Amino acid sequence: MTREGPLLETLTRRLTETPPEFLADTTETLAVVNDLLRMQGATSVSPLLDVLVGDGSPDAQNRGKLARVFAWLFADGWFVSARIDVLPAILSASAELAPLVAANKAVASADRREELARLALSKLDLRPQGESEALAKDRLVALSTAERARVLAASRAAEERARKIREELARKAAQEAADKASRE
Amino acid sequence: MSRADPTDEERYPLLSDVGRRMLQHLREHASAPIFRNQSGNRLTAADLERVVAFEQETKDAWPRWREGEEPEWIASFVAHALEAVPHYQGYGREPGSALTTLPTISRADLSLDIARFVPDDVAIDRLIHFTTSGTTGHPLMVASHPTVAASYLALHKKALRHFGVELRAGAGEVGVVLVGFQHRTFTYVSVTPQMGESGLAKINLVLDDWNEPSDRER
């Protein structure tokens, strides 16, 4: 997030205007993303696009939808004129969010729209115009579905470990522990 | 023996014939007391390496800090606790935080959930369990590790050395006898791998613990 990007409000507003076709099940993700890349000056089809060829699973479909939403976002004039290579950001952001949030819900919620916009910027090492790097990072972490999922998973793992420790200690309590020269 | 009782292999993972003979000697000695309990060092080869290294460090180390200064080891110890111990992770502090800036804990914190004080990098199946005597409150269950219990010896040796006493016992000898005179206490025999599997006995001089009162003198 070392460089300043567009205004956050521009991006969140653009997301509220996501065309319904971008979220339709029948829309071709490869075509949408490739159109964006051509708009930004690409002259050939990137081999990286192959990862967006889904296997028809719900996760793959959701990833495709999210990739289309990010493509819509990056079609904003600021990115087009900046001529930034946005494909890695689309692939990474859509992969990160796909298992965690449905694309339709992400676009429908104000908090998730802000998360989509901030995540998209962060993947390009950008921060919203007028924000400090620290503020942009804090805000992204606060909104991040992935971070929330990580914290929840860590918390579950910690509780599971604590449970196993209690069980092990209870089991060992039934035995007698180790030699201890200071034992009373 | 209940089903929960550990085997000799679990109690003494490094037990050799020398150690086995010492255990038998202590258990079956004609004047042996009634050993009320069983215990073991539970040290693996890797544990023993750590314990021996600790003993060497302890032997050579002397306090190097001055009044008003922190010992060198404190900073890394605090950093490890803040990173790896669930209770301290909950403080949300940077690993470089000074010890004096951290809240103190009480016996109640330990009593509430001792699992939160077990570092994440400790293998659960190696944990051992002690219960405090309850002298200063309700008995407290304390999670520990075989290397912790075994490391006491290094400190005892250092303290004895300060007074000119050197523990020299080795294979085939009895190295340490802990003698109590209590209404009731934990008594057992074991061997100490870091001293050539010399014998270790914890005995109680109270009459009830002996077949013949005069055995206490033999």
Side-chain angles (χ1 to χ4, degrees):
Chain A
M1 297 186 186
T2 52
R3 295 170 297 134
E4 205 167 64
L7 273 171
L8 181 71
E9 292 71 21
T10 311
L11 302 180
T12 52
R13 189 168 59 245
R14 185 171 174 84
L15 285 169
T16 60
E17 294 162 358
T18 305
E21 299 79 32
F22 278 63
L23 294 166
D25 289 338
T26 50
T27 305
E28 274 294 331
T29 304
L30 289 185
V32 170
V33 176
N34 198 45
D35 280 355
L36 167 73
L37 300 181
R38 283 186 179 281
M39 209 164 85
Q40 293 185 324
T43 53
S44 60
V45 177
S46 168
L48 293 178
L49 283 171
D50 286 350
V51 300
L52 291 175
V53 179
D55 56 7
S57 67
D59 270 3
Q61 284 186 6
N62 192 43
R63 184 184 181 184
K65 284 184 191 179
L66 284 164
R68 291 181 324 245
V69 170
F70 283 116
W72 166 252
L73 188 66
F74 287 137
D76 176 82
W78 191 95
F79 298 103
V80 175
S81 53
R83 298 186 82 82
I84 298 171
D85 178 11
V86 294
L87 182 56
I90 292 175
L91 300 180
S92 166
S94 60
E96 187 175 315
L97 285 184
L100 305 170
V101 61
N104 301 55
K105 285 187 180 170
V107 171
S109 149
D111 275 355
R112 297 287 72 77
R113 283 196 297 274
E114 185 178 340
E115 180 186 357
L116 290 176
R118 288 184 179 277
L119 182 63
L121 288 175
S122 76
K123 295 290 180 189
L124 297 172
D125 196 27
L126 295 170
R127 63 181 186 275
Q129 194 181 111
E131 280 188 14
S132 69
E133 202 174 333
L135 175 65
K137 278 183 182 165
D138 274 0
R139 191 71 191 137
L140 178 58
V141 168
L143 284 165
S144 171
T145 305
E147 178 64 11
R148 218 164 28 253
R150 189 194 64 74
V151 169
L152 269 175
S155 162
R156 270 192 220 109
E159 188 42 49
E160 175 65 8
R161 181 175 160 83
R163 185 184 63 74
K164 285 183 178 163
I165 290 171
R166 287 182 213 111
E167 282 176 6
E168 183 71 8
L169 291 176
R171 192 175 75 80
K172 296 275 171 69
Q175 306 173 355
E176 284 150 356
D179 307 340
K180 187 173 163 188
S182 67
R183 181 141 57 198
E184 293 164 44
Chain B
M1 181 182 283
S2 74
R3 286 179 64 196
D5 283 336
T7 60
D8 266 2
E9 285 71 30
E10 288 174 297
R11 284 201 177 99
Y12 316 100
L14 300 174
L15 193 64
S16 71
D17 286 343
V18 171
R20 197 169 283 110
R21 279 198 297 275
M22 175 52 68
L23 285 175
Q24 192 175 9
H25 169 68
L26 291 170
R27 284 170 181 158
E28 298 177 9
H29 191 281
S31 304
I34 301 161
F35 292 110
R36 304 277 178 195
N37 310 85
Q38 295 197 63
S39 186
N41 53 64
R42 294 182 182 261
L43 295 174
T44 64
D47 291 339
L48 182 58
E49 209 172 299
R50 274 181 68 187
V51 169
V52 169
F54 175 74
E55 184 170 333
Q56 194 57 45
E57 281 169 33
T58 308
K59 188 178 174 186
D60 299 338
W62 288 100
R64 291 191 197 90
W65 68 96
R66 296 195 200 104
E67 192 176 344
E69 287 179 1
E70 269 188 355
E72 264 176 27
W73 58 270
I74 294 268
S76 59
F77 182 79
V78 169
H80 179 256
L82 291 171
E83 279 186 315
V85 180
H87 177 84
Y88 297 108
Q89 286 167 349
Y91 289 177
R93 299 289 186 87
E94 291 297 320
S97 300
L99 175 66
T100 49
T101 66
L102 302 179
T104 53
I105 61 163
S106 71
R107 187 184 173 84
D109 294 303
L110 302 174
S111 172
L112 189 65
D113 186 6
I114 197 70
R116 290 184 56 75
F117 290 89
V118 176
D120 289 341
D121 50 7
V122 172
I124 293 174
D125 62 354
R126 297 301 326 284
L127 289 177
I128 54 173
H129 164 283
F130 289 110
T131 305
T132 64
S133 64
T135 309
T136 55
H138 293 297
L140 186 66
M141 181 173 78
V142 179
S144 190
H145 189 278
T147 54
V148 177
S151 296
Y152 277 61
L153 183 62
L155 302 171
H156 289 145
K157 279 184 176 177
K158 189 176 176 85
L160 288 171
R161 200 172 294 120
H162 184 69
F163 293 100
V165 178
E166 193 77 35
L167 290 189
R168 296 185 191 282
E173 298 175 291
V174 176
V176 176
V177 179
L178 302 159
V179 183
F181 190 65
Q182 294 164 274
H183 178 61
R184 190 175 164 200
T185 189
F186 198 97
T187 56
Y188 64 97
V189 295
S190 186
V191 289
T192 308
Q194 61 272 42
M195 288 174 64
E197 292 189 299
S198 58
L200 162 67
K202 166 88 164 61
I203 63 174
N204 187 11
L205 294 179
V206 76
L207 276 177
D208 287 352
D209 273 24
W210 298 81
N211 296 310
E212 293 295 333
S214 57
D215 284 345
R216 295 181 295 176
E217 297 154 27
R218 296 184 186 132

